[in-house]
């Protein structure tokens, strides 16, 4: 793990780094745009907060009515380096003017190779690695499964309960929650299984006991000899930021290694400095065979990667992997700049700073409000799980209505918060690493008010 304690240099922000509410939310221009949208955009593409963004910079979004929102979601952990981060924008702009599309499977270009080199260097594990670049997280998951099946000659794919892996046909089957992700969209890809995972707040199991339960399912229900891969988010994202119990993930990895099962870490949400390490696997001593990267890799441009042991990745024959836009040169140039910015601005340390500032504030909320069941997460990936009043020490009944109420309250104050969780009762925080301590203190105050008003 690389680290630097160099403080971030002062940045010139093109949008003032403060929340500001100047109209009702959504404002009149947003409402007019929304009416246009409803006429022509498919209803399935919902909008959690229909304010229309005109520009964004650092940790702040500015809408078409001039309202400014402190962004605690960063486009679901995408703009980890900050919105329109200047060096990333400059690198992408330069690439745009020199090579907009190269078609890596016909005539290659250097930036694709650079991204693969950086991934080989920064993903966990000290062995030869190779990468494939694609356009989206779901496409990375699809390719990891495809490669694992070719490498092992086996059919079955295991994911965990509460997992989220995407919305394509195969990844819908791998995602745990039916509504809204897969309900009515079947039939689904066969040979996909959900094993029980580790959710300490709800199952109370030690890492060893939770792993034994997972392994029992894999061995008895699927059979190790038929299992191509186990795909795991080291900290589950959409599922609710569950940090597995100590020892859980290493036990699964040992079992996979012993049984010839490809261990795939879906680090699409947890990767790229989000948790204070390049990859969250590092916190658990995990060395996956294959690591998936997407969301934060290119500062907002679409890019995703499958990186794995060279012998596994090379199991796919020439021509077996690829796609028209995969590894687009503009996105690759942005990704190279993101890796540079992680070093230059000490962003691993910034993620740890966010943890050090925000976690105690969330713990104060837990001490004060009995509906806050648990504070969890690592680095700039933190969450609170809400339970019905009076149930925190008993049934821990999920409090699903609290989360939309808090999100709505915060939106009116100019703070964008995101929900998560199989039960919809988790507030997740994954700000850009440009968020300041003052922003986090301000956010905690607003959540405190919202909790008091429940
Ligand atoms: C977002 C996400 C995906 C899917 O990525 P898309 O780019 O939306 O296809 C897969 N896995 C995890 C853990 C994610 O957070």
């Amino acid at each position: 793990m690389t680290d630097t304690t160099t403080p971030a240099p002062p940045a010139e922000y093109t949008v003032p780094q403060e929340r500001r509410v100047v109209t009702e939310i959504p404002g009149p221009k947003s409402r007019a745009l929304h009416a246009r949208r409803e006429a022509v955009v498919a209803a399935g593409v919902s909008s959690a907060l229909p304010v229309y963004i005109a520009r964004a910079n650092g940790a702040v979004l500015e809408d078409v009515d001039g309202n400014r929102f402190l962004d605690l979601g960063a486009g679901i952990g995408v703009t980890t380096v900050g919105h329109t981060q200047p060096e990333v924008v400059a690198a992408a702009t330069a690439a745009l003017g020199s090579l907009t599309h190269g078609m890596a499977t016909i005539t290659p270009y250097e930036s694709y190779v650079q991204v693969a080199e950086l991934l080989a260097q920064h993903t966990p594990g000290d062995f030869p690695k190779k990468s494939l670049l694609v356009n989206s997280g779901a496409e990375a998951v699809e390719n990891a499964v495809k490669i694992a099946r070719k490498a092992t000659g086996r059919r079955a794919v295991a994911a965990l309960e509460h997992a989220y892996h995407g919305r394509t046909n195969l990844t819908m089957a791998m995602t745990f929650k039916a509504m809204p992700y897969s309900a009515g969209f079947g039939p689904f890809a066969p040979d996909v299984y959900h094993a029980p995972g580790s959710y300490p707040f709800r199952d109370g199991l030690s890492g060893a006991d939770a792993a034994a339960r997972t392994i029992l399912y894999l061995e008895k229900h699927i059979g190790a000899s038929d299992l191509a891969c186990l795909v795991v988010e080291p900290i589950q994202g959409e599922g609710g930021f569950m940090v597995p119990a100590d020892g859980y993930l290493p036990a699964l990895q040992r079992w996979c290694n012993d049984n010839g099962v490809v261990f795939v870490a879906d680090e699409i949400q947890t990767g790229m400095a989000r948790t204070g390490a390049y990859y969250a696997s590092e916190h658990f001593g995990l060395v996956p065979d294959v690591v998936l990267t997407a969301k934060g890799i290119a500062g907002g441009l679409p890019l995703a990667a499958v990186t794995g042991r060279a012998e596994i990745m090379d199991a796919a024959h020439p021509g077996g992997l690829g796609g028209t836009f995969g590894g687009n040169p503009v996105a690759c140039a942005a990704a190279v700049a993101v890796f540079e910015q992680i070093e230059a601005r000490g962003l691993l340390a910034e993620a740890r700073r966010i943890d050090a500032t925000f976690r105690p504030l969330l713990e104060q909320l837990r001490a004060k409000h009995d509906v806050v069941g648990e504070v969890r997460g690592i680095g700039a990936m933190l969450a609170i799980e809400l339970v019905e009043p009076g149930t925190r020490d008993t049934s821990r009944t999920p409090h699903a209505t609290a989360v939309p109420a808090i999100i709505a309250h915060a939106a009116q104050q100019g703070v964008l918060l995101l929900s998560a969780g199989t039960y919809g009762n988790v507030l997740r925080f994954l700000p850009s690493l440009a968020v300041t301590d003052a922003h986090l203190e301000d956010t905690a105050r607003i959540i405190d008010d919202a909790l008091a008003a429940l």
Side-chain angles (χ1 to χ4, degrees), residues 82-105:
H83 287 284
T84 55
Q85 205 280 331
E87 283 85 354
V88 175
V89 171
T93 305
L96 189 58
S98 54
L99 181 70
T100 307
H101 176 64
M103 194 70 209
T105 57

Side-chain angles (χ1 to χ4, degrees), residues 130-259:
K130 294 194 175 184
S131 288
L132 157 72
L133 303 183
V134 290
N135 303 294
S136 70
E139 202 186 348
V141 176
E142 293 256 355
N143 277 282
V145 168
K146 186 168 145 178
I147 293 164
R149 281 178 166 154
K150 188 82 197 284
T152 59
R154 301 175 181 181
R155 61 174 177 84
V157 174
L160 296 179
E161 291 177 359
H162 307 291
Y164 182 85
H165 297 296
R167 297 167 182 268
T168 58
N169 186 266
L170 173 61
T171 59
M172 272 193 289
M174 295 171 67
T175 289
F176 182 69
K177 193 175 174 180
M179 197 63 197
Y181 303 121
S182 61
F185 295 133
F188 300 108
D191 275 327
V192 176
Y193 302 87
H194 286 107
S198 172
Y199 190 164
F201 181 64
R202 296 208 166 271
D203 64 29
L205 296 178
S206 70
D209 288 348
R213 185 176 67 170
T214 305
I215 290 165
L216 182 75
Y217 179 95
L218 300 176
E219 286 183 340
K220 298 302 169 197
H221 188 60
I222 307 170
S225 62
D226 271 336
L227 186 58
C229 58
L230 172 64
V231 184
V232 172
E233 299 159 85
I235 302 169
Q236 292 185 315
E238 302 295 309
F241 285 20
M242 291 83 104
V243 179
D246 280 348
Y248 175 73
L249 292 172
L252 294 192
Q253 187 194 318
R254 270 195 305 279
W255 182 85
C256 285
N257 294 350
D258 291 348
N259 288 279

